Amino acid sequence: MGLREKKAEKVRTAIYEAMIALAERDGYEAATVEQVAERAEVAVSTVYRYFANKDAILLDPIERTVGLLAGRLRARPETEDVAVSLGWTVRAALDMSPEELARLRRLRAQLDRAPGPRARLWDLVSRERLLLEDAVAERSGRDQLWNAAAAHLTLMIVGMAHDHDRESLDETAPADYADRIITMLHAGAGAPIPARAPRADQDGRP
């Protein structure tokens, strides 16, 4: 990373940190771009050079990781079974330092209270899923349904691990909690996977 890139990264981080601090102090809806600029010690025009609006500021850490799961999957050995590669991809995504987890918890706390960014978050998750589905398809040799299910389940496991980290008093690390979910899903009949329902008759009864 060159000097210009390092400076841009420093400014971008300062703007995001200012946004989080103001949201925690006054609430996300009350925070303005002008206040963010003042706290970050940059011009308002500088904020808009990096971000279209304050929703984009709050979601920046997530938006910048879109495609990371697909990239990690592609980095696994091509001879490795795709399911094993997905397991390693999940662990790599969740193996965070305490500082990284603390930053993520702060962000998620704000997203819980901010309907605008939370709605946009669904778009980012959808992009992540589609990119991962493409990466799975490159490796699996399976049909579209299998690839889509693999991508959905992978994101579900990552999401459940993050939810557990935030909501539970259990101090299991997210990566280890994901391992527990994966183990359970591979346990066969003991896994809580919905069973295929029989077709209903014309009256709507099985």
Side-chain angles (χ1 to χ4, degrees):
M1 186 183 292
L3 185 60
R4 179 176 296 179
E5 289 79 10
K6 288 181 180 179
K7 182 179 179 180
E9 182 67 20
K10 184 176 180 180
V11 172
R12 197 179 191 103
T13 300
I15 292 170
Y16 171 76
E17 291 294 340
M19 179 78 260
I20 280 286
L22 287 168
E24 289 175 335
R25 189 189 72 185
D26 304 324
Y28 175 76
E29 297 300 331
T32 67
V33 172
E34 289 74 19
Q35 289 174 323
V36 170
E38 181 179 2
R39 188 177 184 97
E41 299 182 343
V42 299
V44 172
S45 60
T46 300
V47 175
Y48 283 116
R49 188 183 312 148
Y50 287 89
F51 303 102
N53 50 50
K54 70 177 190 176
D55 287 1
I57 300 173
L58 190 65
L59 287 168
D60 186 51
I62 296 176
E63 184 146 20
R64 294 171 75 182
T65 64
V66 170
L68 188 60
L69 289 175
R72 283 175 168 154
L73 177 61
R74 289 189 173 101
R76 298 298 305 172
E78 291 184 7
T79 56
E80 188 175 64
D81 182 81
V82 67
V84 174
S85 294
L86 284 169
W88 281 110
T89 297
V90 168
R91 173 158 284 277
L94 294 171
D95 196 11
M96 299 180 173
S97 69
E99 293 76 20
E100 289 172 323
L101 281 172
R103 285 196 294 270
L104 182 59
R105 290 177 193 136
R106 291 177 71 193
L107 171 57
R108 295 194 64 178
Q110 293 308 313
L111 289 172
D112 284 345
R113 306 182 184 98
R118 191 165 64 245
R120 188 176 171 203
L121 177 62
W122 285 107
D123 293 332
L124 298 179
V125 172
S126 178
R127 281 170 48 196
E128 182 74 61
R129 177 182 56 77
L130 291 173
L131 290 169
L132 180 58
E133 187 176 330
D134 287 344
V136 171
E138 293 170 8
R139 290 275 307 276
S140 73
R142 305 291 191 97
D143 62 17
Q144 184 178 0
L145 178 60
W146 194 94
N147 299 329
H152 274 276
L153 284 168
T154 299
L155 284 173
M156 178 202 73
I157 292 166
V158 171
M160 286 180 65
H162 282 311
D163 287 343
H164 178 267
D165 173 70
R166 185 180 58 158
E167 297 169 358
S168 176
L169 296 178
D170 180 354
E171 296 185 358
T172 303
D176 293 334
Y177 190 74
D179 281 346
R180 288 174 55 189
I181 298 170
I182 292 170
T183 299
M184 180 183 65
L185 291 174
H186 280 278
I193 301 174
R196 182 173 178 268
R199 292 182 178 274
D201 61 19
Q202 291 183 349
D203 295 327
R205 293 173 296 185

